[in-house]
Amino acid sequence: MKQYTATPSLGFVEALDESTRKIFQFEGRSRRSEYWWTMLVVILVNLFFTPILGFLFELATIPLKFRRLHDTGRSGWWCGFELILGALFCAFIVYDVLTCVVDVADVAYNVEQSIEPHNVEQSIELIVFVFMRYLLVMFVLFVYKIVVFVFTCIDSDVEENQYGKSPKYIEVDVSEG
């Protein structure tokens, strides 16, 4: 009969050591303590240092997020959704800037040529549409972040899963007798 026993949580130094040793490793699993102690450091760096350094630390945690999701039996590609949303957000920004440039050029041309006055209602509709689109993307990103947060808070799969053996639970063979 198989039985599993949990090993103690990693301390601050142990967790950082574990996460830095596997900084480029996407395979395998990572415990909650390893993930959250490392994320604490990243949050503190983001608060007290330059945004560039914080961004680099965020990039360095991508493999850790993959391993943490693996530990709960989920694909690390849940992190990919954030990249897709980010690319979509950037595409919206480029499109909207170009639309505004064309709109401003059109207004300037109409005023210069003394053609029909600019339609203010159209500009207001454009602004409302752009605002609503960004609001929708931000809402989807917010919900996504909550879902991933919950996934990272869930306890490890006790038994071995498709991503490897549990770093937390050790199999103990209990013989009947």
Side-chain angles (χ1 to χ4, degrees):
M1 182 172 152
K2 290 185 195 177
Q3 212 174 17
Y4 293 90
T5 183
T7 57
S9 293
L10 299 177
F12 179 75
V13 174
E14 296 168 314
L16 289 180
D17 180 52
E18 190 74 15
S19 66
T20 54
R21 273 192 310 108
K22 301 185 288 188
I23 195 163
F24 298 112
Q25 180 183 335
F26 285 85
E27 298 85 27
R29 298 167 62 172
S30 288
R31 298 178 63 170
R32 280 184 296 190
S33 52
E34 176 186 345
Y35 178 78
W36 286 111
W37 280 120
T38 304
M39 292 311 292
L40 174 65
V41 170
V42 171
I43 290 167
L44 291 175
V45 166
N46 277 324
L47 285 175
F48 297 111
F49 294 101
T50 66
I52 294 171
L53 188 60
F55 177 72
L56 293 174
F57 270 65
E58 284 284 338
L59 283 178
T61 62
I62 292 173
L64 177 62
K65 288 177 188 175
F66 267 64
R67 292 192 313 272
R68 180 68 206 125
L69 289 168
H70 288 170
D71 196 40
T72 63
R74 288 165 181 79
S75 170
W77 288 108
W78 272 90
C79 296
F81 186 65
E82 187 172 12
L83 297 174
I84 292 169
L85 278 176
L88 185 65
F89 193 74
C90 290
F92 284 160
I93 289 173
V94 169
Y95 176 79
D96 293 335
V97 166
L98 292 175
T99 302
C100 288
V101 167
V102 168
D103 192 46
V104 167
D106 186 44
V107 168
Y109 178 77
N110 288 346
V111 169
E112 182 180 296
Q113 298 298 320
S114 299
I115 304 178
E116 65 186 71
H118 182 66
N119 189 345
V120 176
E121 291 87 22
Q122 247 181 348
S123 294
I124 292 173
E125 286 176 10
L126 177 65
I127 291 168
V128 168
F129 174 74
V130 167
F131 177 75
M132 294 305 287
R133 183 170 49 197
Y134 286 113
L135 195 62
L136 177 66
V137 170
M138 296 303 277
F139 176 75
V140 170
L141 188 60
F142 177 73
V143 170
Y144 160 79
K145 291 232 180 228
I146 289 174
V147 168
V148 171
F149 175 78
V150 169
F151 287 166
T152 58
C153 291
I154 294 173
D155 194 13
S156 303
D157 282 349
V158 176
E159 296 181 357
E160 182 173 349
N161 65 21
Q162 66 195 41
Y163 304 105
K165 290 187 176 190
S166 174
K168 179 178 181 178
Y169 294 100
I170 299 171
E171 185 178 331
V172 178
D173 196 18
V174 180
S175 343
E176 294 182 38

